[in-house]
């Protein structure tokens, strides 16, 4: 594979039922490409956490997954409320999710730390009132 | 432990995945918090849960799990069953509560993974 391959998804923020759909699809696509299972797992868990975050915190957004020869990049961009204190948001257990989200099985404040743990690089670019872009890289 | 043995021990109904009953699984976890499953689970093949929504199936798929057991007589929707089928997962339901269902499997040899949560 000398050229890179991009998968794009619109992540719907209206409907929690569909949250995670894009990540399931990415997992299937990566399997088809013959990417090693351990890498697939890292990418798909990180993306799933990010996708769920876009739905519960930001009203949806765009997800791109770029597969190239030596890496897989995941770019999640939304126009939600943004994150005021990124350092605080990165702490395990920190969550602003309401109880309604917790009763759906999410909102334990483990998403962002988990995304960092499962990827080799992660950058968060966020502006309050404008949105958040998270870029994650897993090396092949 | 074969999935068929889980069915017997929990007096469970097989909702989908009849063709997987002879597959072996080696460890399990029980949780209603999908966040915790994503954060702490390592290589467990079976998820027992009292939470019923599509993210349970997707979370299990992300973790490469092969069998989901819904406890307390919770019924998955058609949409969830279809998702599980597409992902090649077995789905079971039992009348038992989460604690009892986990306990029965554990004493019969289906372990957790023995790690502490911070490891
Ligand atoms: N895309 C996002 N837009 C706005 N805020 C976000 C976004 N992602 C995360 N956050 C903020 O960071 C906090 C921590 O996120 P995370 O670790 O995933 O925990 P959780 O989603 O369980 O609350 C969230 O509660 C929320 O306040
Ligand atoms: Mg989260």
């Amino acid at each position: 594979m000398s050229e890179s391959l991009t998968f794009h998804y619109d992540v719907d923020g209206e409907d929690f039922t569909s949250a995670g759909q894009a990540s399931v699809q990415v997992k299937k696509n990566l399997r088809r490409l013959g990417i090693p299972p351990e890498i697939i797992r890292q990418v798909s868990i990180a993306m799933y956490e990010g996708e769920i975050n876009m739905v519960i915190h930001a009203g949806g957004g765009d997800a791109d997954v770029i597969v190239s020869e030596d890496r897989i990049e995941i770019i999640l961009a939304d126009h939600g409320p943004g994150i005021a204190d990124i350092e605080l948001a990165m702490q395990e257990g920190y969550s602003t999710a309401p109880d309604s989200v917790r009763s759906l099985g999410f909102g334990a404040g483990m998403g962002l730390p988990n995304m960092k743990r499962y990827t080799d690089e992660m950058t968060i670019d966020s502006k309050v009132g404008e949105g958040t872009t998270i870029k994650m890289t897993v090396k092949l | 432990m074969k999935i068929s043995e889980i069915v017997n021990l929990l007096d469970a109904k097989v909702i989908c995945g009849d063709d997987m009953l002879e597959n072996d699984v080696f460890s399990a976890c029980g949780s209603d918090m999908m966040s915790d499953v994503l954060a702490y689970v390592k290589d467990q093949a079976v998820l027992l849960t009292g939470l019923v929504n599509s993210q349970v199936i997707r979370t299990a798929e992300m973790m490469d799990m092969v069998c989901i057991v819904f406890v307390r007589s919770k019924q998955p929707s058609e949409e969830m069953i279809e998702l599980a089928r597409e992902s090649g997962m077995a789905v079971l339901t039992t009348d038992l509560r989460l604690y009892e269902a986990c306990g029965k499997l554990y004493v019969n040899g289906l372990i957790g993974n023995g790690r502490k949560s911070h490891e």
Side-chain angles (χ1 to χ4, degrees), chain A residues 49-50 52-54 56-57 95 106-112 115, chain B residues 35:
Chain A
E49 289 279 15
I52 300 270
N53 276 355
M54 284 204 295
I56 63 183
H57 303 298
S95 175
F106 292 89
M110 294 303 297
L112 291 175
M115 287 154 73
Chain B
S35 285

Side-chain angles (χ1 to χ4, degrees), chain A residues 6-139:
Chain A
T6 303
F7 302 108
H8 176 83
Y9 303 89
D10 285 322
V11 176
D12 183 1
E14 301 298 303
D15 175 20
F16 183 76
T17 311
S18 63
Q21 239 169 17
S23 304
V24 170
Q25 205 48 55
V26 163
K27 185 156 195 168
K28 289 187 173 139
N29 290 341
L30 296 181
R31 274 202 200 113
R32 234 169 270 142
L33 291 173
I35 306 287
E38 202 36 55
I39 301 277
I40 296 182
R41 186 156 166 180
Q42 283 175 261
V43 169
S44 53
I45 293 173
M47 175 165 171
Y48 185 65
E49 289 279 15
E51 186 184 354
I52 300 270
N53 276 355
M54 284 204 295
V55 175
I56 63 183
H57 303 298
D62 288 286
D64 285 284
V65 178
I66 305 158
V67 184
S68 44
E69 205 161 359
D70 63 340
R71 63 187 56 224
I72 299 177
E73 283 166 297
I74 308 154
I75 301 163
L76 304 168
D78 67 60
H79 299 288
I83 303 172
D85 186 340
I86 293 174
E87 207 181 313
L88 182 63
M90 284 299 301
Q91 285 179 14
E92 293 196 359
Y94 176 81
S95 175
T96 60
D99 284 343
S100 57
V101 165
R102 226 153 280 142
S103 68
L104 296 168
F106 292 89
M110 294 303 297
L112 291 175
N114 225 4
M115 287 154 73
K116 190 167 176 64
R117 185 172 334 137
Y118 281 109
T119 56
D120 294 311
E121 282 163 31
M122 169 165 143
T123 57
I124 303 178
D125 194 4
S126 189
K127 251 207 182 109
V128 172
E130 289 183 23
T132 302
T133 299
I134 298 183
K135 193 169 155 188
M136 295 175 280
T137 305
V138 175
K139 291 180 187 142

Side-chain angles (χ1 to χ4, degrees), chain B:
Chain B
M1 182 181 289
K2 289 195 193 316
I3 294 177
S4 58
E5 205 175 331
I6 298 179
V7 174
N8 289 337
L9 288 167
L10 304 184
D11 194 15
K13 263 203 242 49
V14 182
I15 306 294
C16 71
D18 300 87
D19 54 323
M20 295 175 65
L21 297 181
E22 292 313 299
N23 291 15
D24 268 311
V25 291
F26 299 99
S27 63
C29 74
S31 180
D32 286 351
M33 269 311 260
M34 294 306 108
S35 285
D36 286 346
V37 174
L38 288 162
Y40 301 117
V41 167
K42 288 197 180 74
D43 296 324
Q44 281 91 334
V46 183
L47 171 64
L48 296 97
T49 185
L51 182 74
V52 187
N53 61 34
S54 299
Q55 279 67 37
V56 173
I57 314 281
R58 295 198 183 104
T59 301
E61 158 91 7
M62 290 306 130
M63 305 308 288
D64 298 313
M65 294 172 141
V66 296
C67 177
I68 300 173
V69 183
F70 290 108
V71 298
R72 296 197 305 272
S73 317
K74 299 277 173 87
Q75 294 303 317
S77 67
E78 260 323 302
E79 190 188 342
M80 292 170 60
I81 298 167
E82 193 46 43
L83 275 176
R85 275 207 192 95
E86 281 170 23
S87 299
M89 271 184 276
V91 174
L92 315 179
T93 61
T94 174
D95 294 344
L96 296 176
R97 293 178 179 195
L98 185 57
Y99 180 75
E100 290 170 282
C102 292
K104 283 200 178 193
L105 298 184
Y106 195 93
V107 297
N108 281 283
L110 190 64
I111 55 162
N113 66 7
R115 292 187 184 103
K116 302 219 171 68
S117 63
H118 58 266
E119 284 179 73

